[in-house]
Amino acid sequence: MKINSPLQAYKYLPGDNCGICGESTCMAFASRLIERSAELTDCEPILRDDQKKNFENLQELLRPEIREVDIGVGDKAVTIGGDDVLYRHKLTFFNKTVLTYDVWDTMDENDLAERVDHIENFQKFYVGQFLNADAIAIRSVSDEPSQFSETVKKVMEKTNLPIVLCSFNPEVLRAGLEVSSDRNPLIYAANKDNWQEVADIANDYGVPVTLFAPGDLDLLKSMALTFTKMGMENLVLDPGTYPTGTQLRNTFNNFIKLRRAGINGDREIAFPLMSVPLTSWLVYEDTVNASYWETVLACTFIIKYGDIMLLHSTEPYAMLPELHMRDTIYTDPRKPVMVDPGVYEVGSPTADSPVIITTNFALTYYTVESDLASNDIDCYLAAIDTEGIGVEAAVAGGQLTASKIKKGLEESEFDLKEQTNHKTLVLPGLAARLQGDVEDETGANVVIGPADSGRIPGWMDKNWPPSTE
């Protein structure tokens, strides 16, 4: 039975607190095992012969309920699956949904190169990180093996992103794999008509394969059992993605049934799930509706429980909601999103530039930093360690205090008297109650800025430089 607490894992560890793993105690290492930030093999004592039984037991107990499948190679490789819970708040969701955007083998060479470049380089900076697409699906429209393999070659020359080879024709899939098997692509797909040939291909090249049985969970399970008995466990299940009406409701229910069964211990179908929102383009003739409903489907199955999805629309208005939804759902709810505490330079500050206090909650920090940078305000921005809590809540809860602000400046080796001419700190408006305490603790002049960082430019016009009287 799967374990989800450090105490359960600790019982199988040597318990000698040797520190070889990098942690001071075995309990700390057990916590990292549960969080999947450490590998069991990092514990050298448990690799001894006398600990073999404990190692095997713990390895099995730590195994994710949903199998993990790797696609691609190198730095760009992705892992799908690996979840242990149905509801994110119970633990977290691991391994973000892989967003795969398509190209096809009848595209003009220049259009193909341009689309691949757009998919690979599209990015949005959000809360301290770049949001990107993950993979490229190559669809066989021509149904010609040679034409498909040439397109696969061209895509591989342009990008190192993982690829998905899409065709129901086994000959086409084999032609694509002949030139790309060293990239460990995912092949799509085996169905009730071609499963034997596709199984042979997947076995020959040792690549992951998608099983496709639209609307028929019994058939999907039967295929999964068959492939598993043939020695293949790198499987992805596609129960079909119907984009409208009653069939969409059935699709939604099928995803839930498959994931619930897998989490509850049915190993026969405990595989990652594929959603194909681009089926919207088969229903809607106009681009606006097709793109809109594709995005709606993508966001729906990011939540419930698509591990990888095939998409067509690459316009920013389609990609941004998908990327943001994915980032939100796969943020660990147990940990506030934080930046490292410290004093950061925005622009090119001088001794006359303001020193602005904020917290290290990532959303707060990057919002303030963006408002300052976009208005060309040169300043020092001090992110105080509030354990990733925003200003108002941190003031109320005691995470943002005068002593914390003093400590943050000292640990950053920022000397207000030596590095500024004004010896002034700017507190956010929501921390106004701390003004007197901060003045007493730091000996600095303290002024109160606006509650909303978007109003800092107007505030600067009226209040900076500060009065020296």
Side-chain angles (χ1 to χ4, degrees):
M1 183 177 179
K2 181 78 172 77
I3 59 175
N4 286 314
S5 81
L7 190 59
Q8 291 172 308
Y10 175 77
K11 293 188 293 187
Y12 294 89
L13 294 174
D16 52 8
N17 299 330
C18 65
I20 295 175
C21 63
E23 296 294 334
S24 57
T25 66
C26 288
M27 182 61 79
F29 180 67
S31 296
R32 291 191 60 206
L33 288 176
I34 297 298
E35 295 171 355
R36 302 194 199 171
S37 59
E39 298 288 338
L40 184 55
T41 51
D42 294 338
C43 175
E44 292 185 11
I46 205 172
L47 301 178
R48 299 194 305 254
D49 289 342
D50 63 317
Q51 293 287 327
K52 183 177 180 181
K53 186 174 181 180
N54 283 337
F55 175 83
E56 292 175 348
N57 287 338
L58 188 52
Q59 189 176 47
E60 178 64 19
L61 291 169
L62 291 169
R63 171 186 50 76
E65 296 290 3
I66 304 300
R67 290 178 175 89
E68 292 184 322
V69 174
D70 296 325
I71 305 170
V73 294
D75 294 340
K76 300 287 188 179
V78 293
T79 300
I80 60 175
D83 282 328
D84 285 319
V85 293
L86 282 172
Y87 305 106
R88 171 179 172 266
H89 63 269
K90 291 185 68 175
L91 179 62
T92 188
F93 287 162
F94 295 97
N95 299 328
K96 292 181 178 181
T97 302
V98 170
L99 302 181
T100 307
Y101 295 86
D102 73 330
V103 297
W104 49 99
D105 66 355
T106 56
M107 295 182 73
D108 174 79
E109 187 169 348
N110 291 333
D111 291 340
L112 176 67
E114 184 178 334
R115 187 170 172 88
V116 170
D117 183 70
H118 174 74
I119 295 169
E120 180 170 43
N121 295 306
F122 185 89
Q123 61 182 15
K124 169 69 185 301
F125 186 76
Y126 178 66
V127 194
Q129 61 179 334
F130 286 102
L131 307 182
N132 306 87
D134 305 294
I136 294 178
I138 308 170
R139 293 192 294 114
S140 173
V141 175
S142 68
D143 203 35
E144 290 290 335
S146 59
Q147 187 167 338
F148 184 70
S149 66
E150 284 301 311
T151 302
V152 173
K153 284 181 187 177
K154 291 172 184 176
V155 172
M156 291 171 57
E157 290 169 0
K158 296 290 183 181
T159 181
N160 290 320
L161 287 176
I163 57 176
V164 181
L165 306 181
C166 302
S167 176
F168 293 121
N169 184 337
E171 293 182 9
V172 170
L173 291 176
R174 185 176 289 278
L177 281 171
E178 285 175 356
V179 298
S180 67
S181 60
D182 59 339
R183 290 277 194 97
N184 191 38
L186 172 66
I187 58 175
Y188 182 91
N191 60 22
K192 64 182 178 64
D193 298 318
N194 69 8
W195 67 268
Q196 182 65 68
E197 296 94 327
V198 173
D200 292 340
I201 294 170
N203 244 335
D204 290 345
Y205 289 96
V207 295
V209 57
T210 307
L211 311 183
F212 178 54
D216 191 339
L217 297 188
D218 291 333
L219 175 60
L220 194 62
K221 183 174 182 176
S222 175
M223 290 173 64
L225 258 173
T226 301
F227 275 66
T228 302
K229 288 180 179 178
M230 295 172 69
M232 289 172 280
E233 291 200 347
N234 290 327
L235 308 178
V236 180
L237 308 183
D238 179 4
T241 304
Y242 293 96
T244 59
T246 301
Q247 289 180 316
L248 172 56
R249 182 181 65 190
N250 292 338
T251 297
F252 184 80
N253 289 334
N254 285 341
F255 270 76
I256 294 175
K257 289 176 183 177
L258 287 168
R259 183 49 47 91
R260 180 179 289 125
I263 293 295
N264 289 338
D266 187 346
R267 296 295 292 168
E268 294 174 355
I269 52 171
F271 296 101
L273 303 179
M274 174 180 282
S275 170
V276 188
L278 66 74
T279 53
S280 297
W281 292 85
L282 302 176
V283 176
Y284 298 100
E285 295 182 0
D286 61 296
T287 299
V288 173
N289 267 323
S291 183
Y292 171 79
W293 283 107
E294 180 185 49
T295 303
V296 170
L297 288 174
C299 292
T300 298
F301 290 108
I302 286 171
I303 299 171
K304 300 281 187 184
Y305 292 99
D307 297 293
I308 181 172
M309 52 184 57
L310 304 186
L311 302 153
H312 177 73
S313 300
T314 57
E315 292 79 11
Y317 59 74
M319 295 181 73
L320 287 175
E322 296 156 2
L323 292 168
H324 279 282
M325 178 63 77
R326 194 248 322 253
D327 183 70
T328 299
I329 294 300
Y330 283 86
T331 298
D332 191 338
R334 301 167 299 172
K335 300 177 182 177
V337 184
M338 299 181 285
V339 300
D340 293 331
V343 178
Y344 297 89
E345 295 184 357
V346 180
S348 301
T350 67
D352 295 317
S353 300
V355 181
I356 298 174
I357 303 296
T358 189
T359 76
N360 74 326
F361 175 42
L363 186 57
T364 297
Y365 174 83
Y366 284 109
T367 299
V368 176
E369 190 270 344
S370 177
D371 287 335
L372 294 168
S374 62
N375 286 283
D376 298 321
I377 297 174
D378 299 321
C379 67
Y380 296 99
L381 183 57
I384 304 302
D385 185 2
T386 59
E387 302 170 29
I389 298 175
V391 174
E392 188 171 22
V395 172
Q399 289 83 13
L400 182 61
T401 63
S403 60
K404 282 279 192 80
I405 292 172
K406 180 182 180 181
K407 182 181 179 182
L409 295 175
E410 289 176 347
E411 290 182 346
S412 301
E413 299 182 351
F414 187 86
D415 191 324
L416 194 65
K417 294 180 180 179
E418 293 292 329
Q419 292 178 246
T420 70
N421 295 328
H422 48 74
K423 303 175 182 63
T424 299
L425 295 175
V426 181
L427 283 183
L430 294 175
R433 72 177 77 172
L434 301 179
Q435 182 176 17
D437 291 343
V438 175
E439 288 178 338
D440 293 341
E441 190 79 30
T442 64
N445 178 39
V446 177
V447 297
I448 305 302
D452 181 351
S453 61
R455 298 179 181 177
I456 290 178
W459 180 90
M460 291 280 294
D461 292 339
K462 296 178 181 179
N463 298 280
W464 199 264
S467 173
T468 56
E469 296 180 3

